[in-house]
Amino acid sequence: MAAFVGLFASQPVQKQSIQAAKTTKTAKKTTKKAKAKQISVTYTLKDTTKAKNKQTLAKKTFKVKKGTTVFTVLKKAWKVNYTKSSYGVFITKIKGLGNEKKKLYWTYTVDGKMVKVAADKQKLTKNKSKVVFTLKKY
């Protein structure tokens, strides 16, 4: 009889263990989903106005939410001066560099491709993307 009671008493403990395992799996899935929405993006600032070779001024890597705009991350990384228009933002200075009178302007690429929209319109969707802002004379 004692064996029967011992066997019966162990049943709720097993159910609790199974429930705890299910809860742990659910928590891991939720964490993976949250991480899946995060992407890594590397930003580089280059200056081509003073040297023949592209001079790297700064480089930073960020974890951001998928769909964040290029401009949102740029503003978090460095001080940015810009003007707004119906087309989007026009970046005039980054880290104090840029000069409209001398025709020094910032352009940018994402993963090596020139982007055709303003930085506040371009969304980051690919993990390990590389955003390069280049100061050029026009």
Side-chain angles (χ1 to χ4, degrees):
M1 175 92 161
F4 179 73
V5 171
L7 180 64
F8 185 73
S10 69
Q11 290 300 322
V13 173
Q14 288 177 349
K15 285 183 181 179
Q16 288 174 349
S17 297
I18 292 169
Q19 184 61 35
K22 287 181 181 178
T23 303
T24 302
K25 285 181 183 178
T26 303
K28 285 181 181 179
K29 284 181 183 179
T30 303
T31 303
K32 283 183 182 179
K33 285 181 183 179
K35 285 183 181 179
K37 292 180 183 179
Q38 293 281 314
I39 58 174
S40 177
V41 182
T42 301
Y43 275 62
T44 304
L45 299 182
K46 292 187 176 186
D47 183 354
T48 62
T49 63
K50 295 181 181 177
K52 290 182 181 181
N53 297 331
K54 293 181 180 178
Q55 181 184 1
T56 299
L57 302 172
K59 191 172 190 175
K60 294 183 180 182
T61 300
F62 301 91
K63 292 249 185 222
V64 299
K65 184 178 175 184
K66 188 175 182 177
T68 301
T69 68
V70 167
F71 186 62
T72 300
V73 181
L74 180 67
K75 288 190 311 180
K76 289 180 182 180
W78 298 285
K79 183 179 180 196
V80 179
N81 294 39
Y82 59 94
T83 58
K84 290 183 180 181
S85 76
S86 59
Y87 299 106
V89 297
F90 178 73
I91 297 166
T92 55
K93 291 184 180 183
I94 302 174
K95 289 182 65 173
L97 299 171
N99 188 328
E100 290 182 73
K101 290 179 184 176
K102 292 184 179 181
K103 297 184 180 181
L104 301 177
Y105 298 101
W106 287 97
T107 61
Y108 78 101
T109 60
V110 176
D111 296 324
K113 296 177 184 174
M114 186 63 78
V115 181
K116 297 180 182 180
V117 296
D120 64 327
K121 307 288 185 200
Q122 180 65 42
K123 293 184 179 182
L124 298 165
T125 58
K126 184 180 162 195
N127 191 34
K128 297 186 181 179
S129 284
K130 293 180 182 1
V131 179
V132 178
F133 278 86
T134 305
L135 184 62
K136 294 182 179 184
K137 185 170 185 163
Y138 287 93

